[in-house]
């Protein structure tokens, strides 16, 4: 994955406009008011987190800065992290290189191809929810509730600032391992928590989600082998997010 100097935002905008036009007008039948309303709603939802026709972009240094649209707000950040034209970012671990500057040893002979991307990538995704309630319990609070309900199997300290919990799940999710960065505080004021699958040693994943800004959530995923590095990965993620400034 190597990002080139292509304005993906404009391409996505053009594609979205054409798609909506075809959806609303069509060539061989008349669309119902309900279908038209659904198409408009879908476009509005898409445009909450994507640059769309009619948007007035904030000023930025085009050679070094990119514009990101999240929950109908504009953010400006460095191209090396945010120039992919999508509400996402990421870096390689443990090198901390942004996706746009992959370590040379990861580049294969084919142009734009990387070796072992899934094994070393820390992927960050943004999504908006205007109806977000700050009263929702955090993941750490959910762990404490599981402990109170007698579903805690084990808990131990791996090293200073990092605990690992094993919980019996009651929501249909597979039992896994939970890493808790006890010396850090997330945006909700609680210790950041990461869940990792333990079903397939080769392809296991870790995932987490947290609210970064009001109405804007961050989702993350990466290989489970990096789980024990959770406090350091979380701090590097927060560094990347700190590079985004409101436009």
């Amino acid at each position: 994955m190597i990002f080139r100097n292509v304005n993906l935002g404009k391409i996505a905008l053009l594609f979205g406009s054409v798609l909506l036009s075809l959806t609303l007008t069509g060539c061989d039948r008349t669309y119902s008011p309900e279908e038209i309303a659904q198409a408009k709603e879908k476009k509005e939802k898409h445009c909450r987190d994507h640059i769309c026709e009619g948007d007035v972009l904030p000023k930025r240094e085009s050679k070094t800065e990119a514009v990101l649209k999240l929950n109908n707000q504009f953010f400006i950040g460095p191209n090396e992290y945010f120039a992919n034209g999508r509400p996402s970012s990421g870096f390689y671990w443990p090198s901390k290189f942004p996706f746009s500057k992959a370590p040379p040893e990861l580049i294969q002979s084919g142009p734009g191809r990387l070796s072992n991307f899934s094994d070393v990538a820390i992927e960050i995704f943004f999504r908006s929810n205007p109806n977000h309630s700050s009263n929702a319990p955090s993941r750490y609070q959910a762990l404490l509730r599981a402990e109170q309900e007698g579903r805690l199997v084990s808990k131990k300290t791996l090293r200073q600032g990092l605990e690992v919990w094993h919980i019996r799940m009651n929501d249909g999710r597979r039992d896994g391992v939970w890493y808790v960065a006890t010396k850090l505080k997330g945006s909700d004021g609680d210790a950041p928590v990461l869940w990792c699958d333990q079903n397939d040693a080769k392809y296991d994943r870790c995932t987490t989600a947290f609210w970064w800004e009001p109405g804007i959530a961050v989702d993350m995923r990466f290989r489970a082998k990096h789980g024990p590095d959770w406090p350091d990965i979380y701090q590097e993620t927060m560094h990347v997010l700190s590079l985004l400034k409101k436009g």
Side-chain angles (χ1 to χ4, degrees):
M1 182 184 293
I2 294 179
F3 301 124
R4 303 182 184 278
N5 188 21
V6 176
N7 194 327
L8 295 180
K10 289 185 178 180
I11 294 176
L13 181 139
L14 177 61
F15 175 77
S17 298
V18 173
L19 181 62
L20 181 65
S21 177
L22 291 175
T23 301
L24 296 182
T25 60
C27 298
D28 56 356
R29 75 179 181 92
T30 301
Y31 288 82
S32 69
E34 292 77 13
E35 289 174 314
I36 294 175
Q38 289 174 359
K40 289 183 177 180
E41 182 181 359
K42 186 175 182 179
K43 182 174 184 289
E44 289 173 358
K45 183 178 180 180
H46 173 81
C47 289
R48 283 207 304 262
D49 296 327
H50 296 83
I51 297 172
C52 290
E53 185 177 6
D55 285 340
V56 179
L57 304 185
K59 293 182 179 180
R60 84 282 189 192
E61 176 52 59
S62 59
K63 293 183 178 180
T64 60
E65 295 179 326
V67 175
L68 204 62
K69 186 180 180 184
L70 303 171
N71 199 26
N72 287 322
Q73 302 175 73
F74 292 112
F75 294 83
I76 298 174
N79 276 334
E80 60 183 0
Y81 285 102
F82 304 105
N84 62 0
R86 299 184 298 273
S88 63
S89 185
F91 53 91
Y92 295 107
W93 192 259
S95 69
K96 300 182 182 180
F97 279 50
F99 285 168
S100 62
K101 294 183 178 180
E105 63 270 20
L106 295 180
I107 301 177
Q108 295 181 348
S109 56
R113 296 179 58 198
L114 299 180
S115 63
N116 264 357
F117 174 83
S118 296
D119 292 331
V120 295
I122 308 297
E123 297 179 272
I124 303 170
F125 305 94
F126 299 92
R127 57 183 169 86
S128 64
N129 182 357
N131 300 319
H132 159 239
S133 171
S134 58
N135 296 324
S138 68
R139 287 195 164 195
Y140 183 66
Q141 291 169 353
L143 289 183
L144 294 178
R145 184 171 64 248
E147 183 177 23
Q148 295 171 354
E149 294 172 352
R151 293 188 288 110
L152 175 63
V153 178
S154 66
K155 176 173 62 174
K156 66 178 180 179
T157 300
L158 291 185
R159 57 183 170 89
Q160 186 177 13
L162 179 63
E163 292 181 349
V164 58
W165 294 43
H166 288 84
I167 299 290
R168 287 193 302 274
M169 306 302 294
N170 64 356
D171 58 359
R173 194 175 193 177
R174 286 197 301 268
D175 294 347
V177 59
W178 299 82
Y179 293 98
V180 183
T182 56
K183 297 295 184 180
L184 302 177
K185 282 190 176 182
S187 57
D188 53 20
D190 289 329
V193 172
L194 174 74
W195 179 84
C196 296
D197 198 356
Q198 289 189 317
N199 185 55
D200 188 317
K202 185 176 182 180
Y203 297 107
D204 284 348
R205 288 274 190 169
C206 295
T207 60
T208 192
F210 56 88
W211 292 103
W212 171 56
E213 292 265 341
I216 302 174
V218 169
D219 296 298
M220 298 178 64
R221 70 182 181 196
F222 49 86
R223 282 282 191 253
K225 67 179 183 179
H226 301 308
D229 293 333
W230 172 232
D232 306 297
I233 290 174
Y234 180 81
Q235 288 182 300
E236 181 62 19
T237 299
M238 298 310 294
H239 165 67
V240 172
L241 298 182
S242 73
L243 300 177
L244 279 175
K245 309 299 182 183
K246 289 187 177 181

